[in-house]
Amino acid sequence: MKAPVENEKTLNRDRHLSINEWEEEAKSAMEKKAYDYIARGSGEEATLQANRKSFSKYRISHRVLRDVSRIDTSINMFGKRISSPVMLAPIGVQTIAHPEGELAAARAASSMNTPFVVSTVSSYSMEEISKQMGSSMRWFQLYYSGNEQVAESMIKRAESSGYTAIVLTVDTPIMGFRESDHINKYSPVGEGAGSGNYFSDPAFCSLLEKPIIEDQAAALKKQYELFENPALTWESILKIRQYTDLPVLLKGVVHPDDAQLALKYGVDGLIVSNHGGRQLDHGVATLDVLEEICGVVQNEIPVLLDSGIRRGSDIFKALALGASGVLLGRPYIYGLAMDGEEGVKRVVQQISKEFETTMALAGTAHIAEINKTYLVKNNPEV
Ligand code: FNR
């Protein structure tokens, strides 16, 4: 990639940038294949586009003459107070955007009291990332390994290095077909950018015939073999429970019947997600299923949403339809690509500020006041 230091020089730090502009800046600064890997979706990108379009189906009907001189955006998450309902989604291979990758994102998250969900395929190990975060909230996203010992080891490492929840991603039994990566012949995981947690894992290393330093290609091949786990079922939740007492969230649920099953299996939280349109193409947009899922869950556990959040008003709409909070995906990676830790901070602060403005203008001073009565669905013809 072009050196991020160069990006930092060209970036005017005083100028306000919308999320779309951050993307444009990152696009022109990054190598095409890295930008495509981050920005693009699977198949013909129907789901990627649907994610954005679904937010435009609603308008906000504001209330007037309410005291909005103080806006409180804070929420409770598993007994902890966090300053806003925005979290950082698990995104792997972050060194393709910036050499400091997840370390910079972790520092930014920690400085803002924003929870960070760290990916299984992070460029740095979960322990190295954890060290950047003090006591700030972080969760570990698990791709449940095809090898049970590796799965167990990663879960236990997460608990002992200060992660306070396990986020099991369930929409990736196999990788989605991302055409641009095939055209570009690009696989950052295949190039070793997603090995932080594998190469530091004793259970993983014990499966290798030679030390990684002697045969990195074989280690990467093994990582790839263990990464996809198409045989994974609901029983995996019971196994996670044997390894840790941490709360378990499922990421990638979009069907109300799966929300029902999640309750049956005692899951502690749901993330309604379609992986930002990178997995099942022509899959449903997350906002379109959120209300029904929240109807099933009936506030028993938190329901978070991601995929397509680009504006403060998107956060408001998700909360109005029942979400407890949202995860921001690609946008913070564009900030990372342009300006490392500072870029992540600016992106998150900007969308949080937009959200605060939306709350004030809608006439809501507290998160608990946001509900469906503030939304009007557009005429579908419009
Ligand atoms: C992801 N996402 C993801 N999800 C996950 O559970 N584990 C992972 O390692 C990754 N890695 C990853 C890499 C890249 C480059 C992207 C863009 C996304 C999905 C991510 O957590 C989240 O669901 C989406 O990014 C949300 O959609 P938006 O906000 O990017 O539209």
Side-chain angles (χ1 to χ4, degrees):
M1 67 176 290
K2 291 179 201 169
V5 187
E6 230 174 74
N7 303 345
E8 286 163 25
K9 272 191 208 144
T10 55
L11 185 71
N12 181 347
R13 287 196 167 137
D14 299 327
R15 199 168 84 72
H16 172 92
L17 292 176
S18 72
I19 299 285
N20 288 341
E21 284 175 304
W22 277 104
E23 173 166 359
E24 279 162 30
E25 295 278 336
K27 183 176 184 179
S28 59
M30 293 176 83
E31 259 191 272
K32 182 181 178 327
K33 62 183 183 180
Y35 168 78
D36 282 351
Y37 181 80
I38 293 162
R40 305 290 301 273
S42 57
E44 62 175 322
E45 303 187 331
T47 300
L48 182 71
Q49 288 157 23
N51 282 340
R52 281 305 299 145
K53 281 187 197 144
S54 66
F55 286 96
S56 298
K57 291 180 188 166
Y58 295 93
R59 293 282 179 265
I60 300 166
S61 180
H62 67 266
R63 302 297 305 272
V64 298
L65 296 176
R66 300 237 177 115
D67 180 356
V68 289
S69 53
R70 275 201 195 155
I71 302 296
D72 180 4
T73 62
S74 67
I75 60 161
N76 263 326
M77 189 55 67
F78 296 126
K80 284 231 165 126
R81 201 83 194 148
I82 52 174
S83 42
S84 102
V86 180
M87 306 178 59
L88 299 191
I91 295 211
V93 301
Q94 292 190 17
T95 48
I96 70 169
H98 190 282
E100 281 205 291
E102 296 85 4
L103 303 181
R107 285 200 297 276
S110 165
S111 74
M112 296 178 293
N113 187 22
T114 299
F116 182 25
V117 189
V118 172
S119 163
T120 295
V121 286
S122 51
S123 304
Y124 292 93
S125 74
M126 62 180 105
E127 290 84 1
E128 290 169 305
I129 299 164
S130 199
K131 279 192 196 130
Q132 311 293 315
M133 295 196 71
S135 59
S136 199
M137 195 190 288
R138 61 251 191 204
W139 296 348
F140 181 66
Q141 177 269 323
L142 181 71
Y143 282 127
Y144 203 110
S145 173
N147 177 288
E148 195 59 34
Q149 283 72 37
V150 174
E152 176 180 358
S153 171
M154 287 203 186
I155 293 163
K156 290 184 170 167
R157 284 171 61 197
E159 181 162 9
S160 57
S161 55
Y163 293 80
T164 54
I166 301 294
V167 175
L168 177 66
T169 295
V170 289
D171 59 11
T172 311
I174 60 169
M175 289 283 278
F177 186 76
R178 300 168 197 159
E179 282 179 3
S180 57
D181 299 339
H182 285 266
I183 292 164
N184 295 333
K185 298 190 174 44
Y186 184 53
S187 163
V189 174
E191 290 177 9
S195 299
N197 289 320
Y198 289 90
F199 288 9
S200 57
D201 194 276
F204 176 79
C205 291
S206 73
L207 302 171
L208 303 173
E209 282 171 21
K210 288 186 188 163
I212 293 163
I213 196 151
E214 283 174 30
D215 195 350
Q216 180 157 347
L220 282 170
K221 191 163 168 268
K222 180 58 80 184
Q223 177 182 338
Y224 201 80
E225 260 171 53
L226 300 184
F227 171 76
E228 284 187 349
N229 189 356
L232 200 71
T233 66
W234 289 91
E235 305 309 310
S236 60
I237 296 161
L238 308 180
K239 286 194 189 149
I240 297 175
R241 297 282 187 215
Q242 289 173 12
Y243 305 140
T244 180
D245 294 328
L246 292 178
V248 177
L249 294 94
L250 296 189
K251 174 174 181 281
V253 170
V254 295
H255 199 294
D257 292 351
D258 280 336
Q260 194 72 61
L261 276 168
L263 291 180
K264 187 176 145 210
Y265 276 85
V267 162
D268 301 285
L270 293 180
I271 303 178
V272 178
S273 170
N274 55 33
H275 223 104
R278 298 163 72 80
Q279 284 296 108
L280 174 66
D281 193 27
H282 287 271
V284 283
T286 52
L287 198 74
D288 289 344
V289 294
L290 178 64
E291 197 183 0
E292 203 178 344
I293 288 189
C294 291
V296 170
V297 171
Q298 291 292 321
N299 289 324
E300 277 188 46
I301 54 175
V303 176
L304 304 166
L305 173 132
D306 77 20
S307 301
I309 299 280
R310 297 293 180 272
R311 286 281 178 190
S313 55
D314 299 337
I315 303 171
F316 188 94
K317 290 172 188 176
L319 266 51
L321 291 172
S324 319
V326 301
L327 286 83
L328 198 58
R330 295 175 180 90
Y332 85 87
I333 300 298
Y334 299 136
L336 178 71
M338 291 309 296
D339 205 6
E341 176 184 345
E342 196 53 39
V344 175
K345 268 198 232 168
R346 278 185 62 189
V347 166
V348 175
Q349 282 165 351
Q350 182 195 312
I351 199 163
S352 303
K353 185 73 200 154
E354 281 182 20
F355 174 58
E356 207 179 311
T357 306
T358 306
M359 277 184 72
L361 294 177
T364 52
H366 299 96
I367 298 281
E369 293 164 29
I370 303 172
N371 61 43
K372 217 194 151 190
T373 62
Y374 290 87
L375 295 189
V376 173
K377 208 160 187 186
N378 290 330
N379 179 338
E381 310 305 318
V382 180

